[in-house]
């Protein structure tokens, strides 16, 4: 697929823009990762990371970026004994995860709409 796309991009002054737009369009159908509280889900197969092929996976970045990352850092620290346990019920953690998922999906949708608008303007100007 990548070889095919590279041949499609061409070598003119718009090739990089075409590459970015097409790569973005082909990436959209990929399943988006979701936050969840492991204490709420009983099916441990849902904890696996398909692409990395690992049975248990958690993802987080710097806790200054997203609230979900703050929660993950706190939970990991507590599980390693570096801090006291979080005083939240698993249902409350799941509600926070659901809220973070909703915001992430809304943000992704706005990003996609913005890219669609840019692409429509790009095509219109170049037509």
């Amino acid at each position: 697929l990548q070889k095919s796309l590279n041949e499609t991009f061409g070598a003119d002054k718009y090739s990089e823009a075409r590459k970015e737009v097409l790569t973005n369009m082909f990436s959209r159908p990929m399943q988006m990762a979701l936050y969840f509280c492991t204490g709420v889900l009983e099916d441990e197969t849902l904890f696996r990371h398909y692409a990395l092929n690992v049975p248990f996976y958690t993802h987080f970045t710097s806790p200054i970026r997203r609230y979900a990352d703050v929660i993950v850092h706190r939970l990991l620290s507590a599980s390693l004994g570096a801090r006291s346990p979080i005083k939240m019920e698993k249902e409350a953690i799941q509600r926070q995860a659901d809220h973070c998922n909703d915001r992430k999906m809304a943000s992704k949708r706005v990003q996609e709409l913005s890219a669609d608008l840019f692409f429509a303007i790009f095509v219109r100007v170049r037509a």
Side-chain angles (χ1 to χ4, degrees), residues 94-123:
Q94 184 59 49
R95 281 193 301 277
Q96 288 295 324
D98 291 339
H99 178 74
C100 290
N101 289 330
D102 289 344
R103 297 296 85 215
K104 186 166 72 165
M105 283 188 235
S107 173
K108 183 172 176 52
R109 182 67 183 139
V110 168
Q111 182 180 3
E112 289 172 352
L113 290 170
S114 174
D116 290 346
L117 178 62
F118 171 79
F119 182 65
I121 292 169
F122 178 81
V123 169

Side-chain angles (χ1 to χ4, degrees), residues 47-92:
F47 302 173
R48 95 176 276 99
H49 190 289
Y50 178 78
L52 295 177
N53 194 27
V54 292
F56 297 103
Y57 177 83
T58 189
H59 169 82
F60 60 93
T61 60
S62 168
I64 62 170
R65 291 193 59 207
R66 294 181 289 244
Y67 183 62
D69 298 320
V70 171
I71 293 174
V72 172
H73 273 256
R74 289 176 182 167
L75 289 168
L76 283 173
S77 293
S79 71
L80 295 171
R83 65 169 288 149
S84 58
I86 292 179
K87 293 176 174 64
M88 286 176 73
E89 297 293 324
K90 59 186 176 186
E91 292 78 16

